[in-house]
Amino acid sequence: MIVSVIGGTGPQGLGIAERLAIAGLEVIVGSRKEEKALDIVAKAKEEFADYDLNMTGMANEDAAKAGDVLIITVPLAAQKPTLEGIKEFCNDKIVMDATVPLETAIGGKPFRFVDLMEGSAAERTASILKGTGAKVICAFCNISNSHLANIPEEIDCDCLIAGDDKESKEIAAEIIDKIPGVKTIDCGILEKARIIEKITPLLIGLNIKYKSHYGGLRITGIPALDKE
């Protein structure tokens, strides 16, 4: 299985890509410009030479075409143009979307949420990819970039996901759970992304308040993923 991280040269995307590659997955890092992706991957391989990372850099379009599972890690302002650029390569694929509608997209505060017409960024992705058969899943929204970058430490945070296709969520969870310390929690249908995405600005605000970079969330008392 090949996992392509679209917009993977930013802190979040690169952190996810590195974590999954260290876990043994074949990972493609996508970028608007192939040269940037190749450069970032070369630096990652040098930094984590002990892990022999199976990572490749490509332009977003090529990464989407080659990947079996796609992870979208772009800011809100870049979400629509990025998806429109890769839409033709999303047919019947699992598309995990980590986009969060933060006020920073319009010059505001990072701990404030922007309400979208579609209800959530993940639902916006589903709307843009409508007709492709893509299985859209809200994922990775509540795991901080600092946690992801803090290799090799385990991540003390659950990953909340939401989507309308049960089998796709199970596959997504198998991928996400390869990251040490992370437990995937299935929160239900894609509409639940409206709640999940709003947790991000809350966590950002808490990190600012308590001068931390590692604020996270744990859900207790329920199974990691309901597979019944």
Side-chain angles (χ1 to χ4, degrees):
M1 177 185 295
I2 301 174
V3 178
S4 291
V5 184
I6 308 301
T9 56
Q12 183 186 40
L14 182 59
I16 292 171
E18 290 171 340
R19 289 280 188 170
L20 294 180
I22 287 171
L25 290 176
E26 183 176 353
V27 178
I28 298 173
V29 174
S31 176
R32 286 189 300 111
K33 296 182 178 180
E34 182 183 27
E35 291 179 11
K36 183 176 182 179
L38 291 170
D39 183 54
I40 289 290
V41 168
K43 290 178 181 177
K45 286 184 175 181
E46 182 179 353
E47 181 178 0
F48 300 107
D50 291 343
Y51 294 102
D52 191 25
L53 303 184
N54 189 354
M55 289 175 65
T56 308
M58 296 183 184
N60 282 330
E61 293 81 2
D62 295 328
K65 184 177 181 179
D68 300 306
V69 174
L70 312 183
I71 303 176
I72 311 299
T73 58
V74 297
L76 181 64
Q79 183 193 32
K80 184 176 181 181
T82 299
L83 289 169
E84 288 177 341
I86 66 169
K87 183 175 180 177
E88 63 180 299
F89 307 117
C90 294
N91 292 335
D92 300 319
K93 294 183 179 181
I94 295 172
V95 179
M96 290 189 258
D97 191 1
T99 309
V100 177
L102 299 176
E103 243 191 30
T104 49
I106 54 175
K109 306 289 187 181
F111 49 81
R112 289 180 178 162
F113 191 83
V114 175
D115 289 310
L116 299 179
M117 180 177 64
E118 295 86 354
S120 67
E123 288 173 285
R124 188 186 191 202
T125 291
S127 177
I128 294 169
L129 298 182
K130 187 176 181 179
T132 66
K135 310 298 190 299
V136 178
I137 298 170
C138 171
F140 288 110
C141 294
N142 62 287
I143 300 179
S144 76
N145 298 344
S146 297
H147 260 315
L148 291 165
N150 193 26
I151 297 169
E153 297 300 319
E154 292 192 358
I155 294 179
D156 186 19
C157 186
D158 293 337
C159 183
L160 308 185
I161 68 171
D164 294 332
D165 186 78
K166 184 174 183 291
E167 182 179 356
S168 296
K169 287 189 288 186
E170 291 175 357
I171 294 171
E174 289 176 7
I175 294 170
I176 297 166
D177 287 347
K178 290 183 181 295
I179 300 175
V182 175
K183 181 175 68 174
T184 303
I185 304 293
D186 179 4
C187 297
I189 61 175
L190 190 61
E191 186 178 315
K192 295 294 184 180
R194 303 178 186 189
I195 301 171
I196 295 172
E197 291 173 10
K198 287 182 178 178
I199 292 172
T200 301
L202 172 65
L203 292 174
I204 291 172
L206 288 171
N207 278 324
I208 293 172
K209 177 178 174 65
Y210 292 101
K211 297 179 175 58
S212 174
H213 297 284
Y214 301 104
L217 185 73
R218 286 291 193 194
I219 305 296
T220 62
I222 61 173
L225 186 69
D226 183 7
K227 296 185 179 181
E228 299 180 354

